[in-house]
Amino acid sequence: MTEGTVDTVEDHQVPAGDPAEDHRVPAGDPAEEEKKGDSNGQVSVPEQSAVPGVDPVDFVHPEGGWGWVVMFASMWCNGAVFGIQNAFGILFLSLLKEFGSEDDEDLRFRTAWVGSLSMGMIFFCSPIVSVFTDILGCRITAVGGAAVGLVGLLASSFVTSLGPLYFTYGIVFACGCSFSYQPSLVILGHYFKKRLGLVNGIVTAGSSIFTIILPFMLSGLLSRVGLHNTMRVLCILMFVLMLAGFTYKPLLPAKTSSTGRCCPPIGQIFNFNIWKSLGYRIWAFGIPAALYGYFVPYVHLMKHVEERFGPETNKEVLLLSIGITSCIGRFIFGRVADYIPGVNKVYLQVTSFFVIGLMSMMIPLCNIFGALIAVCLLMGLFDGCFISIMAPIAFELVGAKDVSQAIGFLLGLMSVPMTVGPPIAGFLRDRLGSYDVAFYLAGIPPLFGGALLCLIPWVEARRRRREKTEALKEEAEVSTRMLEKHQEDAQLQTGESVL
């Protein structure tokens, strides 16, 4: 599912022997004198360094070292969070049997809300998580979030009806996942810059690997130990995730308030400057517009296959196909994006949405299981493309300084389509007796959203031309003023010589 990499700074005191010590500015450097901290060792960033797109201090990313440990911890986070979410289609079948009744006309509609609400809450909390990450730091936010997610998932294993799952699984578990997920992306920017595209591809591949493994594991567990014990086994993943959060050692200096307060002012917490960019505004609304049908296959494809091809069909192979090619797509397109200049990377996302939309519409037309596998392979490949270039596009649109909250706001806006899509598909199935119309309609939003994103390169090119013209005009004015001053000085010197 949707992941990205963001680069930000956070509050942290670096202990003696920390890898950060090797990457600070050498003693005596003017930049070091500007950023001397207070007596407790915390570093404050001077106001004049807060320039969009520029690191607040002269910082050299390690490009490795302890960063590899952090990378694998982040990879586990992506896998645990989105692997469980992507495999909800398997849990969906078990929930229908455990809590459903054949007389319930809205059974699929109500059950789909469990997974849909969970996925939506992960993104809905993202703007809030950005604030907590800036104030508390990556480590505290991630570990606390994983602990909350563990409690929510464990509580879900004890419920005896569908209603409480909306709260325990759909809200508590999902909020914990959100708070543990976003710091795992932020921390990568502390260790990598030149290799950020490669590292991003490896980290986001974690969800693909878990998506490949979990469907088979869940199917075996559900048949042997039942739904409730299966959820308790999944709690192990969350416990390991909590341990992984302890590896997040921040390297970049703190973003502190110029007033010396513990909490920065509201204008610094919620950075609305990103909305001044027309390109970002189009991107922030075009992506959600494309995602109304995005999560539908992950929830309903298993049930559709069971109805179309019979309950004995090896339906888990479809999620396996999506997971494998999504992993491949993240590596391939993550590297391809490094060679595409500027916001032209958007065209990769446009292509991804077009293919995903068309493949969603193809699902009802597949009367042969092999054809459905081919559709899932293509869908996974371009799903990986869409995900792997989220962060690079954000960097291009708003710069490194604002990218954390740019991603946070975007994920928050994505929560609505990710939440409402699957229940609508379940409602259509309950009323029409098949999933055909639901999958046809699920393919329309990606086509519309992709077309909307095509405007971004044109808008950004026009903005750059305007800025270049203004810069040349300002340079010309400065040159004119300097020439006039030079002439005035020459006239004064000539007058003094005459006297």
Side-chain angles (χ1 to χ4, degrees), residues 22-214:
D22 297 332
H23 305 284
R24 297 294 181 87
V25 180
D29 193 294
E32 180 68 16
E33 296 298 322
E34 291 181 1
K35 66 182 185 69
K36 285 183 179 178
D38 54 22
S39 58
N40 65 6
Q42 290 188 342
V43 181
S44 59
V45 180
E47 287 296 318
Q48 61 266 31
S49 66
V51 180
V54 179
D55 282 342
V57 292
D58 187 10
F59 175 76
V60 179
H61 295 76
E63 303 294 343
W66 185 255
W68 298 120
V69 177
V70 174
M71 182 194 73
F72 283 111
S74 299
M75 186 178 181
W76 180 275
C77 178
N78 275 258
V81 171
F82 288 101
I84 295 174
Q85 297 294 332
N86 293 353
F88 182 76
I90 304 295
L91 295 177
F92 180 73
L93 297 175
S94 185
L95 289 172
L96 291 176
K97 297 174 183 176
E98 186 78 20
F99 303 124
S101 169
E102 293 299 327
D103 299 328
D104 189 352
E105 295 182 352
D106 296 322
L107 176 60
R108 291 163 189 82
F109 172 73
R110 294 191 303 109
T111 307
W113 270 110
V114 177
S116 185
L117 184 61
S118 178
M119 179 60 78
M121 285 301 297
I122 290 177
F123 298 117
F124 179 77
C125 293
S126 292
I128 303 172
V129 178
S130 296
V131 175
F132 274 84
T133 303
D134 285 343
I135 296 176
L136 300 179
C138 288
R139 180 181 291 172
I140 295 176
T141 305
V143 173
V148 172
L150 174 60
V151 171
L153 190 56
L154 185 61
S156 299
S157 69
F158 291 98
V159 302
T160 56
S161 63
L162 197 60
L165 278 177
Y166 296 143
F167 177 73
T168 59
Y169 190 94
I171 296 180
V172 179
F173 170 63
C175 287
C177 287
S178 184
F179 273 77
S180 63
Y181 162 63
Q182 197 163 327
S184 74
L185 308 179
V186 173
I187 194 64
L188 295 176
H190 291 235
Y191 289 87
F192 300 96
K193 187 174 182 180
K194 293 180 180 178
R195 296 176 175 173
L196 192 57
L198 173 63
V199 170
N200 183 41
I202 295 173
V203 167
T204 57
S207 64
S208 299
I209 295 171
F210 275 65
T211 300
I212 293 168
I213 297 172
L214 277 181

Side-chain angles (χ1 to χ4, degrees), residues 301-314:
L301 184 58
M302 299 297 99
K303 188 62 178 177
H304 168 73
V305 171
E306 194 175 83
E307 294 177 353
R308 177 69 62 89
F309 299 101
E312 302 302 321
T313 306
N314 188 15

Side-chain angles (χ1 to χ4, degrees), residues 397-420:
L397 293 176
V398 301
K401 179 175 178 290
D402 298 324
V403 74
S404 176
Q405 293 206 23
I407 291 287
F409 278 119
L410 174 66
L411 296 179
L413 291 171
M414 286 165 55
S415 66
V416 176
M418 299 289 276
T419 301
V420 304

Side-chain angles (χ1 to χ4, degrees), residues 324-385:
I324 290 175
T325 52
S326 179
C327 183
I328 295 172
R330 293 167 202 228
F331 284 113
I332 293 175
F333 291 104
R335 296 301 295 164
V336 169
D338 290 338
Y339 297 101
I340 297 180
V343 293
N344 289 334
K345 297 178 179 67
V346 169
Y347 289 127
L348 286 177
Q349 278 194 330
V350 171
T351 304
S352 300
F353 284 135
F354 283 170
V355 174
I356 290 172
L358 291 174
M359 291 303 102
S360 295
M361 293 179 171
M362 289 292 294
I363 290 175
L365 301 177
C366 295
N367 295 317
I368 302 174
F369 190 69
L372 197 55
I373 292 177
V375 165
C376 290
L377 289 172
L378 270 175
M379 185 177 291
L381 183 67
F382 285 92
D383 167 81
C385 174

Side-chain angles (χ1 to χ4, degrees), residues 238-318:
M238 299 305 296
F239 178 73
V240 176
L241 176 56
M242 188 168 63
L243 298 179
F246 285 104
T247 68
Y248 299 165
K249 293 181 179 180
L251 301 186
L252 287 172
K255 285 197 297 188
T256 58
S257 172
S258 58
T259 62
R261 296 179 296 179
C262 294
C263 294
I266 191 70
Q268 185 175 329
I269 293 177
F270 296 102
N271 184 4
F272 294 105
N273 289 330
I274 57 177
W275 297 102
K276 294 179 181 179
S277 168
L278 178 58
Y280 175 76
R281 293 202 299 271
I282 296 174
W283 192 59
F285 289 102
I287 295 288
L291 295 179
Y292 275 92
Y294 180 84
F295 196 43
V296 170
Y298 287 95
V299 174
H300 295 287
L301 184 58
M302 299 297 99
K303 188 62 178 177
H304 168 73
V305 171
E306 194 175 83
E307 294 177 353
R308 177 69 62 89
F309 299 101
E312 302 302 321
T313 306
N314 188 15
K315 48 190 173 293
E316 293 84 4
V317 75
L318 298 178

